[in-house]
Amino acid sequence: MSAPRHFIDLWRMQPATLRLILDDAHRRKAARKGWPKAKVDADAPGRDRTLAMVFEKNSTRTRFSFDAAIRQLGGAGVIATAADMQLGRGEPVEDTAKVLSRMVDAVMIRANRHDDVERFAAVSSVPVINGLTDASHPCQIMADLLTIEEHRGPVTGKTIAWVGDGNNVCASFLHAAALLGFKLAIACPDAYRPAKADLERAGASATISADPRGAVAGADVVVTDTWVSMGDKDKDARMAAFDAFQVDDALMNRAAQEAVFLHCLPAHRGEEVSEAVLDGPRSLIWDEAENRIHAQKSVLAWCFGAIG
Ligand code: CP
Ligand code: NVA
């Protein structure tokens, strides 16, 4: 039996595979324009497949978008929180993976610890998809890249400015930068930089400073995220450290004239982003949220071996 196609971190993927997934997502989205949300795509690449969705942390977008995705592919979904599973009472990750492998065709996991997803995948005989960990959020970045391309054309050659926390979402942007040929200009406080290994994965595609004005200068896309991610314990220190990192109109005005704004959500108006930017004309946040469905459908289609 061939090894399952896991989707855990973008840096492990082939550039051609990421391109294929994005192209499939563009096509699939266009083909179902105006359709009811639960209507199955014509080729139904998820027919006869079941996706398990396991959540150790809260979620709105990831939960509903994966559920919509598997339905639109013609398959079925099962959602569970880890707390409701024996996993929440200490059953080993490996035992859970072996059991689910007998019952479903793919597993999406949102986990506190990245290592738990790696451990799950190491023994799973079905594809495992990372639905966010403390270390990365690859599905979010696939949706973000889809959104950028819809509005501004190919992401290759673009400059994306990341302003704020060097967190899990920032890490997945770093993982994609060199593979897809975009520049990532990061501005974050010194204490909240991304991991060295993630910066190294981006190589010359990334720059890093503590200067938001410099990072956004001429950028095609400006992105931020919450200053306090799920699991972060140092809220007060973070609020102080990020005080000068809010994306507001003055900052957006330093970006390219046609620059767009992205945020994975949930957002905190008046903290990492001003209300005027988040709800303003340069913001693509609602398309970005919807694109979680379209990007993940193509990730699933790849995991199932229906594309690529
Ligand atoms: N952006 C994102 O992953 O949202 P949820 O936490 O609501 O899934
Ligand atoms: N960085 C955020 C993303 C939420 C989708 C978190 O991990 O909480």
Side-chain angles (χ1 to χ4, degrees):
M1 207 171 63
S2 57
R5 287 181 164 184
H6 299 313
F7 190 83
I8 294 179
D9 267 321
L10 299 179
W11 63 266
R12 294 198 191 158
M13 305 290 291
Q14 295 297 322
T17 303
L18 294 181
R19 190 63 263 162
L20 176 94
I21 291 171
L22 286 171
D23 289 346
D24 185 71
H26 283 297
R27 268 197 304 275
R28 222 169 257 293
K29 181 175 180 182
R32 61 176 299 115
K33 200 169 168 18
W35 287 14
K37 293 184 180 66
K39 187 169 162 138
V40 176
D41 285 3
D43 60 341
R47 187 191 294 117
D48 302 333
R49 310 275 190 159
T50 302
L51 172 70
M53 294 160 271
V54 178
F55 288 91
E56 234 184 335
K57 308 195 201 206
N58 296 56
S59 170
T60 298
R61 280 141 290 266
T62 305
R63 179 179 176 139
F64 284 91
S65 61
F66 266 105
D67 196 47
I70 191 64
R71 286 165 196 257
Q72 291 185 9
L73 295 177
V78 187
I79 297 181
T81 61
D84 290 335
M85 297 168 61
Q86 297 292 6
L87 195 58
R89 294 181 59 245
E91 184 170 18
V93 167
E94 287 81 1
D95 292 4
T96 308
K98 287 177 189 172
V99 169
L100 291 192
S101 291
R102 302 289 182 104
M103 297 178 178
V104 301
D105 300 291
V107 182
M108 188 287 306
I109 313 175
R110 170 166 285 196
N112 290 317
R113 288 179 303 274
H114 193 78
D115 186 51
D116 284 347
V117 177
E118 301 275 12
R119 284 171 53 202
F120 194 108
V123 299
S124 175
S125 60
V126 300
V128 173
I129 299 170
N130 172 4
L132 180 147
T133 67
D134 56 339
S136 57
H137 196 2
C139 294
Q140 180 68 53
I141 274 44
M142 295 304 280
D144 289 8
L145 298 177
L146 188 66
T147 309
I148 292 166
E149 294 200 333
E150 268 178 358
H151 288 266
R152 292 292 180 267
V155 73
T156 302
K158 296 270 187 294
T159 298
I160 300 175
W162 176 274
V163 179
D165 191 12
N167 64 12
N168 44 3
V169 179
C170 179
S172 287
F173 267 116
L174 281 166
H175 297 168
L179 299 181
L180 289 170
F182 61 85
K183 297 277 178 213
L184 188 67
I186 300 172
C188 71
D190 289 342
Y192 297 101
R193 285 183 158 221
K196 195 162 163 274
D198 290 327
L199 285 167
E200 284 171 4
R201 285 177 179 125
S205 300
T207 59
I208 185 153
S209 73
D211 171 21
R213 288 162 60 84
V216 303
D220 302 296
V221 184
V222 178
V223 198
T224 190
D225 185 16
T226 181
W227 292 338
V228 187
S229 284
M230 292 180 278
D232 285 339
K233 305 271 187 266
D234 51 344
K235 181 170 182 195
D236 291 348
R238 285 174 165 271
M239 297 305 280
F242 289 111
D243 192 43
F245 286 79
Q246 184 184 96
V247 177
D248 57 13
D249 276 318
L251 200 66
M252 284 301 296
N253 289 343
R254 294 180 61 82
Q257 189 155 14
E258 297 291 302
V260 294
F261 172 79
L262 295 180
H263 189 310
C264 65
L265 305 178
H268 307 80
R269 289 169 176 80
E271 293 181 16
E272 72 272 10
V273 59
S274 70
E275 188 173 348
V277 169
L278 191 77
D279 300 317
R282 294 180 278 206
S283 173
L284 301 180
I285 55 170
W286 309 124
D287 284 350
E288 181 184 8
E290 179 189 329
N291 280 339
R292 294 293 303 279
I293 302 175
H294 305 294
Q296 288 157 197
K297 282 169 66 182
S298 300
V299 169
L300 285 164
W302 176 78
C303 290
F304 291 147
I307 59 169

